[in-house]
Amino acid sequence: YSYYDKKQLCLKKEEIFLRRHKVNKVKVQQGIQLLLEGLGVDIENEHFRDTPKRSAKAWIEELCSGLGEKKFSLTTFPVGKNYESSMVVLQHIPVRSVCAHHLLPFYGEATVAYIPDERLCGLSKLSRIVDYFSRRPQVQEELTSEITNFICEQLSPQGAGVIIKATHMCMSMRGVNHDGVMTTSSLKGSFLSEGNVRAEFMALANTQSLNKL
């Protein structure tokens, strides 16, 4: 493909994306321009001239990409006949989201775990679930529950648990102006009803032995 062909292909993909998911890029761009104008920023300044366009692209395609993506179904696999029920845990999953109250970022890490019953999924899918639900304006409490609910809907496991630890810019850059880490958890099935399962999950979620290599 020539440069022109590649550019046209990218524009076509963007057009299909916006049409399919009802994202109004024009309104987003206009809103950002109004924000800058309301703040008294000189939008003719070279640094700000294309900011509404750049910022709209970032909000739609990155910060809130989860709003545009179609909800997906997991590809699952049957457990083996000799499989003994054990906990599947994935730690240090990046969380990048936006607070619904002030539209400021919050970011951190998630730990996701489940005990398979009849089906299991590829490990990377757990990370994809977190990213899909993270990329939209929301509160951390609901994000945590949405991830757990989706895992239960897709896998029907014996139990599932999610812990998210995140820093909120709406706390560190405004209001009290203090740093802090907010921790939320959501437990379903055996993670909620069986004390030993819950204790194992909490221990694994907080252990340093599984820290980043």
Side-chain angles (χ1 to χ4, degrees), residues 123-178:
L123 196 60
S124 66
K125 296 301 185 291
L126 298 178
S127 185
R128 184 184 176 194
I129 293 168
V130 172
D131 194 62
Y132 170 78
F133 284 104
S134 294
R135 300 286 183 162
R136 64 194 70 195
Q138 63 199 317
V139 295
Q140 183 177 326
E141 296 91 334
E142 291 182 357
L143 168 62
T144 312
S145 294
E146 284 182 342
I147 295 170
T148 318
N149 289 337
F150 185 78
I151 291 172
C152 290
E153 289 171 6
Q154 295 288 315
L155 295 175
S156 299
Q158 296 179 35
V162 174
I163 291 177
I164 295 178
K165 298 180 179 182
T167 297
H168 289 248
M169 304 304 287
C170 59
M171 176 176 168
S172 61
M173 289 190 66
R174 59 158 299 281
V176 71
N177 282 284
H178 287 175

Side-chain angles (χ1 to χ4, degrees), residues 186-205:
S186 176
L187 306 174
K188 302 288 184 181
S190 60
F191 281 63
L192 185 62
S193 62
E194 299 180 23
N196 61 322
V197 174
R198 182 166 61 253
E200 180 184 354
F201 172 57
M202 293 299 181
L204 288 171

Side-chain angles (χ1 to χ4, degrees), residues 11-26:
L11 290 174
K12 186 66 175 178
K13 286 182 178 180
E14 181 183 25
E15 179 184 341
I16 294 172
F17 174 87
L18 295 176
R19 185 171 63 248
R20 180 185 300 163
H21 305 296
K22 300 180 181 179
V23 176
N24 194 320
K25 186 175 182 179
V26 173

Side-chain angles (χ1 to χ4, degrees), residues 102-115:
H102 297 95
L103 294 182
L104 291 173
F106 67 88
Y107 58 92
E109 292 185 337
T111 298
V112 177
Y114 72 102
I115 298 177

